[in-house]
């Protein structure tokens, strides 16, 4: 198939690209390289250096004529979304609508969107399924939810088959470690550079860590089945940040007694965990990689890719 992956030079998108190439698809990557890197793009993919907001987007899509689009390009920083909601909505809602329109005008048959369980459901008291109340706490989450709703409307109005993939906390090789990026990447980078992890608060806050290549397998299943609707993609297991830091210290051969703490962040979610039974039952997906294996592979990647990192 002809597949376009937006954000395919970024962390998660590049794993999707690798998977699709391995399956024999013809893959294009559209990315403005704001947070992504060309080094992440598989040599067999065709790279298009373009911003989704660029007026040449329609022409670019007309040249590619993708049958399927996996849309991962986004403004991913929650703090930026709070400081500049207009910018966030322009990047995460309006640019998505432009992509949808350009795709539909050029024969796109299937669209999949990188949504976010953690940002949409808010505070968890246990694993959250797709029917859990949607209560985004910041503009980033509101934008993700808005696109999920638009996709439903496009399905009803225009017959577009699409899947909203609500990821939990994703980790793995190639994750950026700048600013407030994923905690696994931040801790790996600190350990690699000879510093112990520094935890915000007591470290008893929990997250559901899912390994990026496992999500790429879910993407492949969604494509094969043209699965339509909302799918939570997580492990259903909660890990405390303290446990995570200890495991990474073990991988790096650092004494976990050196773990540091800084004051907790105001408004930080205490618990986050997804129930992915729907993906398991309908797609036949389950995350294959144990946290231990995934963290080991991720730390190894950070150790051996020093020069490409922030
Ligand atoms: N990392 C997570 O834990 C997580 C969780 C839930 C959802 N998501 C979603 O998954 C997607 C991928 O996230 P990631 O962690 O791989 O982030 P990332 O920053 O590594 O990837 C995003 C990519 O999009 C590109 N991009 C950004 N704005 C663009 C624009 N206007 N035009 C073209 N390209 C643009 C960036 O250069 C980058 O390569 C995002 O939509 C994010 O919101 C991520």
């Amino acid at each position: 198939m002809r597949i376009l992956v937006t954000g395919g030079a970024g962390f998660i998108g590049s794993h999707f690209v690798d998977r699709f190439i391995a399956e024999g698809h013809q893959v294009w990557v559209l990315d403005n390289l704001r947070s992504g890197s060309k080094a992440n793009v598989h040599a067999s993919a065709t790279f298009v250096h373009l911003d989704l907001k660029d007026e040449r987007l329609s022409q670019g899509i007309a040249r590619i004529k993708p049958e399927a689009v996996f849309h991962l390009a986004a403004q991913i920083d929650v703090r930026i979304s709070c400081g500049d909601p207009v910018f966030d909505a322009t990047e995460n809602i309006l640019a998505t609508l432009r992509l949808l329109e350009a795709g539909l005008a050029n024969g796109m048959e299937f669209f999949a969107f990188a949504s976010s369980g953690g940002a949409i459901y808010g505070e968890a008291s246990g694993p959250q399924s797709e029917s859990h109340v949607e209560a985004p706490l910041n503009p980033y989450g509101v934008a993700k939810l808005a696109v999920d709703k638009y996709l439903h409307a496009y399905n009803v109005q225009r017959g577009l088959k699409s899947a909203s993939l609500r990821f939990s906390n994703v980790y793995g090789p190639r994750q950026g470690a700048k600013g407030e990026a994923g905690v696994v990447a931040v801790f790996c980078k600190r350990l690699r550079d000879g510093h112990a992890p520094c935890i915000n608060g007591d470290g008893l806050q929990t997250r559901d860590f899912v390994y990026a290549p496992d999500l790429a397998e879910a993407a492949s299943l969604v494509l094969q089945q043209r699965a339509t609707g909302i799918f939570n993609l997580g492990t259903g297991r909660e890990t405390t940040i303290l446990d995570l830091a200890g495991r990474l210290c073990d991988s790096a051969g650092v004494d976990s007694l050196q773990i540091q703490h800084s004051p907790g962040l105001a408004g930080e979610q205490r618990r986050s965990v997804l129930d992915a039974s729907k993906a398991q039952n309908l797609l036949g997906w389950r995350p294959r990689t144990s946290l231990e294996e995934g963290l080991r592979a991720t730390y190894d990647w950070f150790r051996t890719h020093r020069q490409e990192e922030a």
Side-chain angles (χ1 to χ4, degrees), residues 61-202:
I61 302 287
R63 272 196 289 275
I64 300 169
K65 296 212 182 317
E67 295 162 272
V69 174
F70 281 74
H71 178 38
L72 291 98
Q75 185 305 103
I76 64 162
D77 190 321
V78 170
R79 201 180 282 187
I80 288 178
S81 84
C82 296
D84 192 348
V86 174
F87 171 69
D88 184 76
T90 306
E91 292 285 323
N92 288 351
I93 303 178
L94 294 180
T96 303
L97 296 181
R98 299 186 72 230
L99 177 65
L100 280 164
E101 290 300 323
L104 281 170
N106 288 285
M108 174 179 75
E109 293 160 13
F110 184 72
F111 188 89
F113 172 59
S115 187
S116 167
I120 285 178
Y121 302 123
E123 195 62 54
S125 55
Q128 295 159 315
S129 73
E130 292 80 355
S131 58
H132 193 276
V133 62
E134 292 154 338
L137 299 171
N138 49 59
Y140 170 81
V142 172
K144 289 293 183 194
L145 182 57
V147 172
D148 287 357
K149 302 283 184 198
Y150 269 111
L151 289 177
H152 179 65
Y154 271 80
N155 180 249
V156 173
Q157 301 295 329
R158 318 263 288 265
L160 176 65
K161 288 193 164 75
S162 68
S164 290
L165 308 178
R166 289 184 177 169
F167 307 152
S168 60
N169 279 69
V170 191
Y171 75 99
R174 305 184 197 135
Q175 186 163 28
K178 283 187 189 147
E180 289 183 282
V183 62
V184 173
V186 171
F187 286 177
C188 283
K189 181 168 180 275
R190 279 186 67 88
L191 283 161
R192 180 198 66 190
D193 295 344
H195 308 291
C198 180
I199 295 174
N200 297 323
D202 61 11

